[in-house]
Amino acid sequence: MKGKIYMGALFFVLLSVMAIMFIQKEDHSEIDQEKRMDAIAENQEKIDKMLESMTLEEKVGQLMMIGFKGTEAGREINELIEKNHIGGVIYFDRNMKSPKQVAMLSNSLQQTAKQSSLSLPLMVAVDQEGGDIIRMRESVSPLPAQQDLGQHASAEDMYKVAKLNGEELSSMGIHINFAPVLDLSETDKRSVGKDPKKVYRYGKKTIQGLNDASVTGALKHFPGNGRSEVDPHLETSSVEANQLDLENSDIYPFKRIIREMDDQSFFVMVTHIKYPAYDQEKPASLSKVIIEDLLRGKLNYGGLVITDDLEMGAVNKYFTYEEMGMEAILAGADILLVCHEYAHELEVYEGLREAVKAGKVPMERIDQSVKRVLTYKLHALNRTRVEPDQAEKVVKSPESIKYLESLK
């Protein structure tokens, strides 16, 4: 009898402790929520003030991400950051020779941005998908192609590979990785496969892995170009499928990730391919129907939309650079990606600036996108300076190599 009384008393004490812990947890949760709301309101006020004080040139510059030549910051890129207020850069092999050098380059570019009139951090991006698409291949971990991971690895492995990749990129001052590819294909090594549900699961794990290494991912190539046999780098093409078919297959991975994840944790990159079921004339990257009505309206995506490279043959054969920048912004894109030539970057910049001055692009439309860019920068780019020596230790570490070899 005494044992039963003792056990009953102990059970009552445990229940009481759990209740107190639960109440404390609820209190902490409410406090944390209040802090988050205060921070959001404070940031919003800061963004509104900044937007009010920005010149047209500063606003247009923030809507561009560009490539440049060289492993050090030369005259052209420094001028574009200082004079044209460019908001972001993308690295290619031509910019990267070692982890330490890349980290030093990132620091140098960020310092230039900090000393400019806006003092805003740069978005620094790269295409580090794995497989055939790896920058500075000899100096980074040998990331498997998405096709190989889709065939042989688990979704949890996908997360671990993405986190490993993100840690390497983050150590070099890179905040954005244009991955994962969500295109459905059995033959493209850049694709996980043709099963929309599997592509969604593996894509979501990739975003989570990158995010946990302080890197932002990008879903591409919206609304999914896996059906096309034509390389958009070279020429335009059309995906001949009806809306219902597309939304149940190609668009499905995008739709699920957008529904389930924070808009600030990834970009959406829009392809240059045409989808006549939505827009019979314009490629997706220049189509208001696809970006505003479908992506923002129907799928309810509120984050950053970036075009694929505007120097690709699918668009630059049919539009001038001045036209492309204007059309993409009018369609609802936030960031114009121009990866290679200085002259083309200036043409896109000047074209958009002149279009606003001429009243072809409303200032309200520009402000919408600038606000999204500022929100992202204040939300995600808290740490821009990195340690070059640390990058040498993190990138292609023995532990990373060992883990990747275990996946084969």
Side-chain angles (χ1 to χ4, degrees), residues 94-351:
R94 62 183 182 237
N95 308 118
M96 308 171 79
K97 65 179 182 183
S98 75
K100 185 173 184 177
Q101 169 268 321
V102 176
M104 290 170 68
L105 174 61
S106 297
N107 286 344
S108 171
L109 293 170
Q110 293 291 2
Q111 185 62 27
T112 301
K114 191 176 180 182
Q115 291 170 348
S116 68
S117 61
L118 287 174
S119 295
L120 281 170
L122 278 176
M123 296 179 282
V124 181
V126 73
D127 287 299
Q128 199 77 329
E129 299 171 17
D132 293 337
I133 313 297
I134 297 182
R135 310 304 182 206
M136 200 170 63
R137 179 176 297 277
E138 298 306 314
S139 301
V140 298
S141 293
L143 304 165
Q146 285 202 170
Q147 185 186 66
D148 294 334
L149 289 168
Q151 290 174 350
H152 307 298
S154 67
E156 195 53 39
D157 284 323
M158 198 80 175
Y159 167 84
K160 289 177 182 175
V161 171
K163 188 167 185 284
L164 180 159
N165 185 15
E167 286 167 350
E168 294 196 353
L169 298 178
S170 183
S171 75
M172 295 185 283
I174 298 168
H175 324 109
I176 301 155
N177 185 21
F178 291 133
V181 172
L182 298 186
D183 303 331
L184 307 184
S185 175
E186 288 177 346
T187 56
D188 188 352
K189 286 196 70 86
R190 299 170 75 188
S191 171
V192 168
K194 206 161 184 181
D195 177 357
K197 291 182 179 178
K198 185 173 187 178
V199 172
Y200 142 69
R201 287 198 313 273
Y202 279 53
K204 184 177 179 181
K205 284 293 185 182
T206 299
I207 296 293
Q208 288 172 338
L210 290 170
N211 286 173
D212 286 349
S214 301
V215 172
T216 303
L219 312 182
K220 65 184 188 185
H221 306 82
F222 187 81
N225 64 13
R227 297 176 191 242
S228 176
E229 298 294 325
V230 179
D231 184 350
H233 288 85
L234 308 173
E235 187 53 87
T236 189
S237 64
S238 293
V239 168
E240 304 296 336
N242 64 47
Q243 291 187 16
L244 186 62
D245 187 10
L246 286 166
E247 289 176 31
N248 286 334
S249 56
D250 305 61
I251 295 171
Y252 177 88
F254 295 93
K255 179 171 64 180
R256 287 291 302 271
I257 293 173
I258 288 167
R259 186 195 302 161
E260 295 171 16
M261 298 190 78
D262 178 5
D263 285 344
Q264 296 300 313
S265 64
F266 58 89
F267 290 15
V268 173
M269 178 180 280
V270 185
T271 182
H272 296 316
I273 289 173
K274 290 181 180 178
Y275 297 78
Y278 292 100
D279 190 327
Q280 295 192 358
E281 294 178 10
K282 292 180 178 177
S285 55
L286 310 183
S287 170
K288 191 171 184 179
V289 178
I290 289 174
I291 298 177
E292 281 292 349
D293 298 349
L294 175 60
L295 179 57
R296 295 221 186 272
K298 196 165 187 177
L299 302 191
N300 199 30
Y301 176 64
L304 284 165
V305 174
I306 185 166
T307 67
D308 210 340
D309 181 14
L310 294 177
E311 290 178 299
M312 288 184 180
V315 281
N316 76 1
K317 289 183 179 180
Y318 305 96
F319 301 88
T320 66
Y321 286 102
E322 291 89 349
E323 289 169 340
M324 281 190 281
M326 179 183 75
E327 292 289 345
I329 293 295
L330 284 173
D334 301 304
I335 301 174
L336 307 170
L337 182 62
V338 193
C339 290
H340 301 286
E341 299 301 327
Y342 176 69
H344 297 159
E345 291 157 1
L346 284 180
E347 285 172 48
V348 172
Y349 174 87
E350 295 293 350

